[in-house]
Amino acid sequence: IPKVVLNQFVDSYSVGVYAATTTLVNLISLIQTGVNLFWNPFVFSNYRDKQSEIQKVHLVVTFCMTAGGLMLILFQNVLFLLLGDAYRQGSAILGLLAASPIFYTIGETLGIGINIAKKTYWNILVVGMALACNLVACRLLVPSIGLRGAAYGVMLSAGLMLVVKAWIGERYYKVVTSPLKTAFAPIVYAAAAILSSIYVESPALRTALTLALFAVLCLVFANEVKEILGFGREQVSRLLHKQMQS
């Protein structure tokens, strides 16, 4: 949808920048696919007797996807150096476009109740609402702010999908134990993406703001950060132990 609307209101160069930036965002989609391959079998094998474990994994996935998105914003200049100066304009929209796979992945952990209850028609409704939101937002914003308008449309539709999927999914299976954390992570990411777009010409300020948001995110998810670090240390210790034995 964004490309179709862009073709009507901007030049071919801008459309090319949008396409190149979308290619970078697709790298995150690979992570999204990996999470989905793990998440659905894990949930369907354990939702009856390991609900608390599923709830913990949801928080870890939410933190990791949000933190990863913030890191993408922090180091986006390096990525665009690889693409070349011709596509540097894409740095204004990378964070906004990346909201789509990030919010989708978080939404998959929240909306799992839809699949558990076998109410999959809700997924069609949610996708339809997101597409409609994307179309309306692009038609309203692209004529006035071009590439940014298309990117904002993508983030708005992804945010709508996340909220609706969470609301419906929670009716059938409770995943959220901390509404603050679950809501805070996508809000922090959206704020970082918007600020990155606004201050794209001020890399020092953009970096400082993104780091500040990352620090706040780590404070809010302090327990999850400890669990992730503990798991990492455990895996390193096991690897070193095996190497010493061999």
Side-chain angles (χ1 to χ4, degrees):
I1 291 176
K3 287 184 182 179
V4 173
V5 178
L6 283 170
N7 277 317
Q8 296 177 358
F9 294 101
V10 302
D11 55 32
S12 57
Y13 167 73
S14 295
V15 175
V17 170
Y18 183 91
T21 309
T22 302
T23 300
L24 288 177
V25 172
N26 287 339
L27 296 176
I28 303 178
S29 298
L30 296 177
I31 300 174
Q32 168 192 317
T33 302
V35 171
N36 290 342
L37 288 173
F38 154 77
W39 178 250
N40 288 318
F42 172 74
V43 168
F44 280 101
S45 298
N46 298 286
Y47 74 90
R48 289 187 179 89
D49 52 3
K50 293 185 178 180
Q51 187 172 8
S52 61
E53 191 171 333
I54 290 171
Q55 291 166 342
K56 288 180 180 179
V57 173
H58 153 67
L59 288 175
V60 170
V61 170
T62 299
F63 170 78
C64 288
M65 291 303 298
T66 306
L70 293 178
M71 290 297 102
L72 178 67
I73 292 173
L74 276 174
F75 296 106
Q76 63 180 340
N77 284 345
V78 177
L79 295 174
F80 282 100
L81 280 175
L82 299 176
L83 285 177
D85 291 337
Y87 296 100
R88 189 68 59 86
Q89 189 180 347
S91 60
I93 62 172
L94 178 63
L96 299 171
L97 293 178
S100 181
I102 291 171
F103 289 179
Y104 179 86
T105 304
I106 296 173
E108 282 295 287
T109 68
L110 288 168
I112 195 66
I114 296 172
N115 294 332
I116 290 175
K118 298 181 180 179
K119 307 288 186 179
T120 52
Y121 58 84
W122 281 116
N123 290 324
I124 299 174
L125 176 63
V126 171
V127 171
M129 291 175 63
L131 290 175
C133 175
N134 196 352
L135 176 60
V136 172
C138 286
R139 293 290 298 183
L140 291 175
L141 297 174
V142 169
S144 57
I145 55 176
L147 282 177
R148 282 185 174 89
Y152 278 118
V154 169
M155 188 170 74
L156 285 171
S157 62
L160 176 65
M161 180 183 290
L162 171 61
V163 171
V164 175
K165 208 162 190 178
W167 178 66
I168 297 173
E170 284 292 291
R171 294 172 58 189
Y172 299 111
Y173 190 80
K174 185 174 176 57
V175 174
V176 177
T177 56
S178 174
L180 170 64
K181 291 182 178 180
T182 297
F184 185 77
I187 289 173
V188 162
Y189 181 77
I194 293 170
L195 290 171
S196 175
S197 181
I198 293 173
Y199 297 111
V200 66
E201 301 298 335
S202 304
L205 178 58
R206 185 189 65 205
T207 299
L209 291 171
T210 305
L211 285 173
L213 289 171
F214 182 78
V216 175
L217 179 73
C218 290
L219 286 174
V220 172
F221 282 83
N223 291 335
E224 286 69 35
V225 172
K226 290 177 182 177
E227 289 184 12
I228 293 169
L229 292 176
F231 177 78
R233 285 195 296 267
E234 181 180 340
Q235 296 305 309
V236 171
S237 296
R238 287 182 178 179
L239 180 61
L240 292 175
H241 182 68
K242 287 182 180 179
Q243 288 181 341
M244 290 177 65
Q245 286 183 333
S246 60

